[in-house]
Amino acid sequence: MAILVTGGAGYIGSHMVLELLDAGEQVVVLDNLSTGFRWAVPPAATLVVGDVGDQDLVRALVRKHGIDAIIHFAGSIVVPDSVADPLGYYLNNTVKSRALIEIAVATGVKHFIFSSTAAVYGNPKQLPVSETAELSPMSPYGSSKLMTEIMLKDAGIAHPLSWVALRYFNVAGADPQGRSGQSTPRATHLIKVACEAARGKRNGMEVFGTDYPTPDGTCVRDYIHVTDLVRAHMCALAYLRKGGKSDIFNCGYSKGYSVLEVIEAVKRAAGSDFPVKLSDRRAGDPAAIVAASAKIRDTLGWVPVHDDLDGIVTQALAWEASLERLKAAS
Ligand code: UDP
């Protein structure tokens, strides 16, 4: 028996692979390396370079490796890009997920864990936002993920496939042992961008929007450490294997930080200053979003251990330094 991790060469996926291997699982990674890296996949996992939408390939992998669970990370993740290229996002995140779920059903894969997103809520009316809140995505990214949640729900009713969808809030940080981290070039995510600025890899950064109805006018997000996030997947896998019913869970700490607070934390951790330009709003950004996290704690027994913004940014900075060493050595 083995677990198929799609997108396992990417940021979150590579941390998942490390966690699964540490737990003694057999792991097959399917990644097209469009944004992932071959080096991010540890040698103990089998890396197959290919597309999750390639049904013949996925069918063959499931049969060859005896896959009993799929953890599906592969997809596109940048909110403003989804506004510019909605059809590309629906292809990558919705159409290809449909193809993957179809093969999971056809080959009798038992369990499916899906990377969903807080973006399915849009601008929530109440904070913290619970799983039962109204779903009103503000971007094609959020809609593309919500459609996959809906497909899973319906497929799980019609077929013996049990699933969990995890709605990620803002994922950040790096493996505390320094084995992986956020490595994407041309990063757009806040903590990555701020760390690059702190390390002098870019000449400062911008704050997108200072007129939001939040305490300091900048957007508020709930930043979750990538290691706590992948442990949520481990909890979900154990839950499904024990016969837990298909369900949806938020993944966040129930704590919000503004863009300015995050930038301050990065400057503090780096012990350096960098220019910050106050700019206009970016398309598709909700003002504030913070997770209600009681459901995942109570049902899956998830206990976060890295719930600390200063620790998250310190590890993200350490990973930036590792990337510089990797680059210098190559
Ligand atoms: N943000 C920013 N400057 C940047 C990158 C992001 O001000 O260089 C803001 C962005 O507008 C949003 C928040 O930081 O309000 C988090 O954005 P990110 O892209 O990290 O994650 P998202 O919430 O879009 O998934």
Side-chain angles (χ1 to χ4, degrees), residues 76-322:
S76 303
I77 57 160
V78 180
V79 170
D81 287 0
S82 80
V83 175
D85 179 23
L87 298 177
Y89 270 65
Y90 290 125
L91 173 62
N92 269 349
N93 292 355
T94 312
V95 175
K96 290 186 182 179
S97 293
R98 184 208 160 277
L100 183 67
I101 296 166
E102 185 169 50
I103 295 301
V105 166
T107 55
V109 170
K110 293 195 187 79
H111 313 301
F112 198 101
I113 299 175
F114 172 58
S115 307
S116 189
T117 170
V120 297
Y121 298 115
N123 228 335
K125 293 198 178 83
Q126 263 197 325
L127 293 181
V129 61
S130 85
E131 290 84 351
T132 53
E134 186 188 325
L135 301 174
S136 183
M138 287 172 62
S139 63
Y141 169 66
S143 299
S144 70
K145 291 281 187 175
L146 179 55
M147 289 186 205
T148 301
E149 284 190 7
I150 294 168
M151 289 190 291
L152 273 175
K153 179 162 99 14
D154 291 339
I157 292 168
H159 308 287
L161 177 74
S162 70
W163 57 272
V164 158
L166 296 174
R167 291 182 179 155
Y168 304 169
F169 283 64
N170 288 62
V171 188
D175 176 45
Q177 296 177 49
R179 296 170 297 176
S180 194
Q182 170 63 277
S183 309
T184 324
R186 296 177 298 281
T188 60
H189 287 113
L190 177 64
I191 290 183
K192 175 79 176 169
V193 168
C195 288
E196 288 180 355
R199 303 275 319 164
K201 290 184 188 170
R202 54 172 84 214
N203 303 324
M205 61 176 296
E206 288 179 78
V207 171
F208 298 129
T210 52
D211 59 347
Y212 284 99
T214 58
D216 67 16
T218 66
C219 290
V220 170
R221 297 284 183 274
D222 185 341
Y223 294 89
I224 175 174
H225 192 289
V226 63
T227 300
D228 279 336
L229 179 71
V230 298
R231 292 210 178 126
H233 294 68
M234 297 301 283
C235 295
L237 184 63
Y239 165 86
L240 290 174
R241 282 175 168 168
K242 275 191 295 193
K245 80 171 178 54
S246 299
D247 212 338
I248 292 171
F249 300 93
N250 284 344
C251 291
Y253 293 144
S254 306
K255 252 187 240 167
Y257 292 95
S258 74
V259 172
L260 292 177
E261 286 173 325
V262 170
I263 294 172
E264 275 315 305
V266 172
K267 287 185 175 179
R268 208 165 42 237
S272 67
D273 202 3
F274 48 84
V276 174
K277 182 171 171 241
L278 304 180
S279 302
D280 290 341
R281 291 184 180 197
R282 194 178 74 171
D285 278 341
I289 182 148
V290 175
S293 57
K295 186 176 175 187
I296 187 166
R297 292 171 196 259
D298 295 347
T299 311
L300 299 189
W302 178 68
V303 181
V305 295
H306 299 286
D307 175 0
D308 167 40
L309 183 65
D310 288 322
I312 289 174
V313 300
T314 301
Q315 284 164 14
L317 280 163
W319 180 251
E320 275 316 307
S322 300

Side-chain angles (χ1 to χ4, degrees), residues 4-82:
L4 180 65
V5 179
T6 75
Y11 170 45
I12 305 172
S14 64
H15 288 79
M16 185 79 245
V17 172
L18 289 168
E19 195 71 24
L20 288 164
L21 292 172
D22 287 349
E25 300 281 352
Q26 278 196 42
V27 180
V28 179
V29 169
L30 177 59
D31 198 301
N32 65 8
L33 299 182
S34 59
T35 55
F37 300 94
R38 193 179 284 277
W39 56 257
V41 180
T46 303
L47 170 63
V48 177
V49 179
D51 203 281
V52 294
D54 181 343
Q55 291 193 313
D56 291 339
L57 174 62
V58 176
R59 191 183 295 105
L61 286 179
V62 170
R63 297 216 166 115
K64 180 173 173 201
H65 297 279
I67 302 291
D68 73 321
I70 296 177
I71 308 183
H72 179 35
F73 293 98
S76 303
I77 57 160
V78 180
V79 170
D81 287 0
S82 80

